Amino acid sequence: MSGKEGAGGFRKRKHDNFPHGQRREEKENVNPSSPLMTSFKSFQLELDTRHDKYERLVKLSRDITIESKRTIFLLHRYISAPSGEEVLNESEVKLDAVRRKIKQVAQELIGEDMYQFHRAISPGLQEYIEAVSFQYFIKTRSLISIEEINKQLIFTAEDREETTNMTSNSQGKQPHTWSLRVTPVDYLLGVADLTGELMRLCISSVGNGDIDTPFELSQFLRQIYDGFTFIGNTGPYEVSKKLYTLKQSLAKVENACYTLKVRGSEIPKHMLADVFSTKTELIDQEEGLS
């Protein structure tokens, strides 16, 4: 910093040397109907439209995330509820409401490159994948495929809803179908988050006296972990970052299975969940997670 600027001062810009009146005269002399000004006004309109669309998608993604989390919380009651079928039916109603939100996202993206708005909708899609795959596992004890998820996200004109957020990009007649394709990365990230819910399901199952589910979950999580290790560090950064959390969930479930196998006969069933919770806290402390 030179001495002319002074301590803590700001550097003087060149145009500050022009008289204020001269700058005002130059501004008044600008022709608003010139081709240059017309081009910049069109750029401004395009950027404002794109920004408004991005903000609408962020709000929709937030709503999708919230409703998907509520569905996951509901599905955790499946083990302890008197009628598990009622829980599954209620979860299906909630997921239908989430899909209606996703349909609004698909309508917003008509004629657009989805990847330009991917960061706005990715968190909501990942949470939806986690919820729908959790429900699918409870029903079938298997992992839902990305093709099955995309098949559920095709919307026809019969169930079309009028939305107030339709923009000028969807001019003219609307197509008869809307669809939103989940990207492979979002699918993998949603499945990685699913493992944490399965770990919680394992602890809840033991607390309710179910000693078969933990062994079933252990094999299932091991298969998912083996699949992720094939990707390794060659995949996207977000996927490799989730691998550590997945490994922790697998370790906790395998530890529960070990406790059941070795000490299950000597520990009362109503105390098994407390034993697993204590061991889980110890594992987190050893790994520096708490």
Side-chain angles (χ1 to χ4, degrees):
M1 182 182 295
S2 63
K4 293 182 180 179
E5 297 173 21
F10 294 97
R11 179 175 295 178
K12 201 170 186 179
R13 294 172 294 185
K14 289 184 178 181
H15 68 268
D16 289 339
N17 294 323
F18 290 97
H20 185 68
Q22 182 178 348
R23 296 203 303 272
R24 184 184 301 125
E25 290 176 2
E26 292 176 353
K27 187 176 181 180
E28 292 175 352
N29 292 331
V30 173
N31 183 8
S33 60
S34 66
L36 181 63
M37 292 301 297
T38 303
S39 298
F40 273 96
K41 286 181 180 178
S42 66
F43 297 154
Q44 179 187 9
L45 178 62
E46 181 180 352
L47 291 174
D48 288 344
T49 302
R50 189 170 298 275
H51 177 74
D52 293 341
K53 183 187 290 287
Y54 191 92
E55 290 301 317
R56 290 196 298 272
L57 290 172
V58 169
K59 292 178 181 178
L60 285 172
S61 177
R62 190 180 301 120
D63 293 340
I64 293 170
T65 300
I66 292 173
E67 293 302 321
S68 298
K69 285 183 180 293
R70 289 174 178 169
T71 305
I72 292 172
F73 296 152
L74 172 66
L75 288 169
H76 276 294
R77 292 167 41 198
Y78 176 81
I79 297 296
S80 58
S83 176
E85 196 64 31
E86 292 182 4
V87 173
L88 290 177
N89 292 336
E90 187 176 350
S91 68
E92 189 60 40
V93 174
K94 287 184 175 294
L95 287 177
D96 285 339
V98 175
R99 282 189 278 267
R100 285 195 293 271
K101 291 287 185 181
I102 296 178
K103 182 178 70 174
Q104 295 181 35
V105 173
Q107 289 174 328
E108 289 282 359
L109 294 178
I110 292 175
E112 300 282 359
D113 181 5
M114 188 193 77
Y115 289 96
Q116 291 185 356
F117 302 93
H118 183 251
R119 291 188 63 181
I121 63 176
S122 180
L125 290 179
Q126 292 177 33
E127 200 68 33
Y128 167 75
I129 293 168
E130 181 181 356
V132 74
S133 59
F134 190 32
Q135 184 205 53
Y136 191 85
F137 175 82
I138 292 176
K139 286 182 176 180
T140 65
R141 287 300 193 264
S142 59
L143 180 64
I144 190 171
S145 64
I146 187 173
E147 292 80 13
E148 184 65 27
I149 292 177
N150 286 327
K151 193 182 300 181
Q152 296 175 1
L153 300 182
I154 298 176
F155 312 102
T156 59
E158 285 75 15
D159 60 350
R160 185 176 69 183
E161 295 176 351
E162 295 296 331
T163 59
T164 59
N165 292 330
M166 296 302 294
T167 60
S168 58
N169 289 333
S170 55
Q171 297 175 355
K173 190 176 180 180
Q174 299 256 349
H176 293 292
T177 60
W178 297 268
S179 64
L180 184 66
R181 295 187 65 83
V182 171
T183 64
V185 174
D186 286 337
Y187 174 74
L188 291 174
L189 293 176
V191 171
D193 292 335
L194 167 68
T195 59
E197 304 304 329
L198 295 180
M199 182 268 295
R200 296 180 183 91
L201 180 66
C202 170
I203 305 302
S204 300
S205 300
V206 175
N208 285 279
D210 183 3
I211 61 175
D212 296 326
T213 298
F215 294 95
E216 187 177 2
L217 289 172
S218 176
Q219 295 179 359
F220 183 73
L221 290 176
R222 171 57 66 179
Q223 292 175 355
I224 293 180
Y225 178 75
D226 291 342
F228 270 81
T229 53
F230 282 121
I231 301 174
N233 295 326
T234 61
Y237 171 72
E238 296 86 353
V239 175
S240 59
K241 190 170 63 173
K242 292 277 188 179
L243 186 61
Y244 180 78
T245 305
L246 196 161
K247 185 178 180 180
Q248 293 302 307
S249 299
L250 175 61
K252 293 171 185 177
V253 173
E254 288 182 339
N255 179 74
C257 294
Y258 171 81
T259 305
L260 282 173
K261 200 72 174 178
V262 176
R263 302 184 57 195
S265 59
E266 62 187 52
I267 300 177
K269 289 185 177 180
H270 67 278
M271 295 179 60
L272 282 173
D274 296 334
V275 173
F276 294 152
S277 299
T278 304
K279 287 184 175 291
T280 298
E281 294 175 359
L282 292 175
I283 292 175
D284 290 343
Q285 291 174 0
E286 290 174 359
E287 297 293 339
L289 297 178
S290 61

